[in-house]
Each structure stands twice: as structure tokens, then as C-alpha cells.
Amino acid sequence: MNDIIIKLEESVYYRCFALLCLGAYSLMNIPFPEFYESYIQFFSYVVVLVFFLARSSEKKIFPYWLFFVVLIYVAISWWLGHFQEPIYYSGNVDLHKLGRHFLFVVIAYYLCNNKGGSAAAFIMLFLMYVGAFFIPWSTGAGWEAIERGLAGLRVDFHMQNAQHMGLLYGVLFISFAVFSKRIYLFDKRIFFVALLMSIFYFSYVLFSQTRAVFIALIFSLFVGVFMLLRSSGGSSRSFIFYSIILVLIVTSLIVYMPDRLINEWYKMYHSYSNGDVFLSSMGARWYSWMAAWDWIAS
């Protein structure tokens, strides 16, 4: 039985089928959840099932076993909950709830064993970009929501909340910055399309008006510029070029920062300088950081 499963996994048809399911996951999981849940998820389970049944030395790693344990745990929890309180549980087991934290094991395995170089990885990355591009129209109000974002209002495209939207597009923007050179060398047409979409994604991050994402992007930019300067040998021309890019992006983040965030910063600073307590989401974090700093210093 194991020999049959191994032959199935090593066949060209199954590998193409697995890559097709992974591509559908990248393209449709977030922008088209109903279609994905109804049709593609079942075939994705088949890919994962064969992945677990076919044994190979490449799978004898700790994340693989964690992924297996997580899926068993989620399946048992769903069965027990559905048996006792069926009205609170969906009709199908949502294995991706915890399993998505280890799904990279399956994705990396099939991409690395496709024997097609990096083509499959870049195609999946591009599909993820394309799927994220349709989110404003597939789950949100489309151009109307974008116009509200351009007007300075906070939008979330009807995702779970604006913070999740900012995290999603922030990750996409950083991924393009990291892989832009390799994408350009792989296919210049894909590079320019991804560049155009990244400009949209950076705008969507600003629309989310999420402080944590702004801070993460600024910190990532400083780290990225430092690594680029180090890899380029620290030449003065490279320093000037990357410094200009850093200043432009940080300036755009500051200029387009919503007035309510600026006012909240001002109120918090004014209250802190007067010895008062400013109770807000930002104020609570500020006072906890100051208390932690005093405790560490002592």
C-alpha cells in the first residue's frame, strides 16, 4: 500500500494536481472564501492526506509531526464539539484553523520537489498577489471603499477588521520588497505587474490606519536599508540612494497618518507631561511600557 502511495505522489499528474490545489489556495482562500470552502478545500485535503501517507526521509522533521498532531487535535475537537453542540459548529471540519501555522511544510515540500526550479514558487507568489488584488471587490465595496480610504476614512474591505487588512497587505508589500530582485530576473512582466499591485497594497496599508503596521513597516525599512548597505559594501552612492527611498516612504507614512492618530499622540504626550493618565489603547500601551522600563532599570 505504501509503495502505491509513494508512486502516486511521485507521478507527474499528482504533482501537477498538488500544485494546482496549492495555487488555488493562494489565489482564492481569502478573496473568495465561499468558493474555496465549497470546492477547493476538499481537494486540498486530498493533497495533505497523500503527503502524510507517503513516507520519505524528507518528512522526518519536527514541524511535520507537529502538523500531524495539530490536524488530529482539530479533527477530534471538531467531532466532539459537533456531537455535543452541533449548532455552534460548521458542517465541515476547519482543519486550517490551527493547521495553517504548519501548512508551510506541505507547501515547501511540493514546491521544492517539483523539479522545476523556482518557477512554481514565483507562480504561487504571483497568484497570491492577484487574489489579494480582488479583495476590495470580492469582499468589500470596491471603488467606493477605495475612495473612502483616499478621503482619510478607515476601511477594512469587509474583512475581519482593519487591523487584519493592514497586516495582510503589509506582508504582501514586504514580500515584494524582499523578492523583487529575483522576480525581476525571473520575469520582467510579472515584476512590473507585482510592482503596480504593491503600490495599491501600500495604499491599503495606509487605509487600515493601524499603528502597529506602520511601526512594523518603518522598522522593517530600517532593517532592510541596513542589510542592503551591508551587502553593497557601504558605498556612498548606495547610502544616498537607499536613504532617499527610506525618507520618501517614512514621509508618506507620516503625511498620510490620520488626524485622529496624530491627535491621540498629542493628547497622550500632553497628559504624560502634566502627570495625568490618558486612558486609551495607545495610552495603556505607553504606561505599560514605561512601567516595564522602570522595573527593568531597577
Side-chain angles (χ1 to χ4, degrees), residues 69-82 93-95:
V69 171
V70 162
L71 294 185
I72 296 298
Y73 169 78
V74 173
I76 294 176
S77 299
W78 173 84
W79 182 81
L80 292 175
H82 195 274
V93 53
D94 295 328
L95 296 178

Side-chain angles (χ1 to χ4, degrees), residues 137-150:
W137 293 270
S138 62
T139 63
W143 290 113
E144 180 183 351
I146 295 176
E147 291 176 356
R148 292 178 64 244
L150 292 173

